[in-house]
Amino acid sequence: MKRIGLVVPSSNVTVETEIPALLARHPERFSFHSSRMRMHQVSPEELRAMNAQRERCVDELADARVDALLYACLVALMAQGPGEHQRVEKEVRAQIDTVVLSSAGALVEGLQALGARRIALVTPYLRPLAEQVVAYLEAEGFAVVDWAALEVGDNAEVGCIPGDRVLGAARGLDLTGADALVISACVQMPSLDLVAPAEEEFGLPVLSAATAGAYALLRGLGLDPVLPGAGRLLAGAGRSAAHAPAPPTIGA
């Protein structure tokens, strides 16, 4: 049994359902343990205040002796500027002796595993934050060919965005030349049931913050990153990347 630690915004409910639902499809068994940072509005001010609570959350999960820790708020890191996931993951590794990952880093890793360079995004964020997510991914070397912002600022409401609205936003994107579609660049916006149908409809790899997080967790734990019905990333497309040496996860 592998213990997964999740550091989540207090108003987040989706990542604690989608990640377990994904990993339940794997032969390995997992348990899930969360620590929460207060955040309600997805705004620069509340994201900074939330990030300031990180050390307490990491200490709590260290007490649970988790085998891997996922900092599960993508925009909280991407809104702080390019390369923030690498800096934060390094700081957390200095605090806890375990595999350390972030949703922001997992999305980058998942796109790289697919060999995607030109991507499209659906985000729930207000436009200024969505622009920061786009800029972050472009700084990581991706070309964002088109993107959508659903303009939902209340994080609890993000967790209630219906799938047809998300899929409708994806249909409104110009996917010409895109290598992959990120149908939910947010662990709070539900999208797990949309990944496989969207791949069939659009004819290109589709991933979400949740499927990328599951991929990164499996790879970080040295497990086969293959899950049925979760899109091309978890259908074996990322196996070659998984067999490459993983980045260091323990120590400073």
Side-chain angles (χ1 to χ4, degrees), residues 4-55:
I4 306 297
L6 300 170
V7 178
V8 300
S10 58
S11 49
N12 193 307
V13 294
T14 304
V15 70
E16 292 162 303
T17 58
E18 290 196 340
I19 292 284
L22 282 163
L23 294 184
R25 305 173 192 180
H26 198 274
E28 180 63 74
R29 298 294 88 193
F30 302 90
S31 63
F32 299 89
H33 314 275
S34 299
S35 184
R36 312 184 84 76
M37 307 172 288
R38 291 299 306 277
M39 189 272 278
H40 186 67
Q41 290 293 322
V42 190
S43 67
E45 297 77 20
E46 287 209 25
L47 291 173
R48 284 193 294 269
M50 184 190 74
N51 286 333
Q53 302 166 56
R54 185 189 74 221
E55 289 189 12

Side-chain angles (χ1 to χ4, degrees), residues 2-233:
K2 300 293 186 183
R3 298 177 186 171
I4 306 297
L6 300 170
V7 178
V8 300
S10 58
S11 49
N12 193 307
V13 294
T14 304
V15 70
E16 292 162 303
T17 58
E18 290 196 340
I19 292 284
L22 282 163
L23 294 184
R25 305 173 192 180
H26 198 274
E28 180 63 74
R29 298 294 88 193
F30 302 90
S31 63
F32 299 89
H33 314 275
S34 299
S35 184
R36 312 184 84 76
M37 307 172 288
R38 291 299 306 277
M39 189 272 278
H40 186 67
Q41 290 293 322
V42 190
S43 67
E45 297 77 20
E46 287 209 25
L47 291 173
R48 284 193 294 269
M50 184 190 74
N51 286 333
Q53 302 166 56
R54 185 189 74 221
E55 289 189 12
R56 170 187 57 79
C57 294
V58 173
D59 282 342
E60 290 175 359
L61 293 172
D63 290 345
R65 299 182 182 180
V66 296
D67 297 295
L69 181 150
L70 178 68
Y71 194 86
C73 186
L74 181 145
V75 72
L77 299 189
M78 290 194 178
Q80 310 312 313
E84 181 71 1
H85 75 274
Q86 295 171 332
R87 185 187 70 80
V88 168
E89 289 173 12
K90 182 178 180 180
E91 288 185 356
V92 175
R93 287 180 194 124
Q95 187 180 349
I96 183 172
D97 185 20
T98 196
V99 173
V100 173
L101 304 159
S102 68
S103 293
L107 184 60
V108 171
E109 180 182 354
L111 288 166
Q112 291 172 339
L114 287 168
R117 305 312 302 167
R118 294 170 57 80
I119 64 174
L121 310 170
V122 178
T123 81
Y125 311 120
L126 299 177
R127 190 172 184 87
L129 281 175
E131 289 172 343
Q132 288 182 285
V133 170
V134 170
Y136 194 98
L137 291 169
E138 288 180 336
E140 290 291 329
F142 302 103
V144 179
V145 300
D146 203 2
W147 56 278
L150 299 184
E151 299 272 7
V152 180
D154 184 309
N155 200 45
E157 292 183 10
V158 171
C160 300
I161 295 173
D164 57 357
R165 185 179 178 194
V166 180
L167 200 54
R171 291 183 180 124
L173 297 174
D174 182 356
L175 299 177
T176 305
D179 301 317
L181 167 64
V182 181
I183 201 160
S184 177
C186 175
V187 294
Q188 170 71 334
M189 186 165 73
S191 64
L192 185 55
D193 293 339
L194 306 179
V195 172
E199 282 199 340
E200 183 175 355
E201 177 174 344
F202 300 121
L204 75 167
V206 174
L207 69 165
S208 69
T211 60
Y215 171 83
L217 283 165
L218 291 171
R219 184 180 177 222
L221 289 167
L223 301 172
D224 196 11
V226 174
L227 301 172
R232 207 172 305 178
L233 174 66

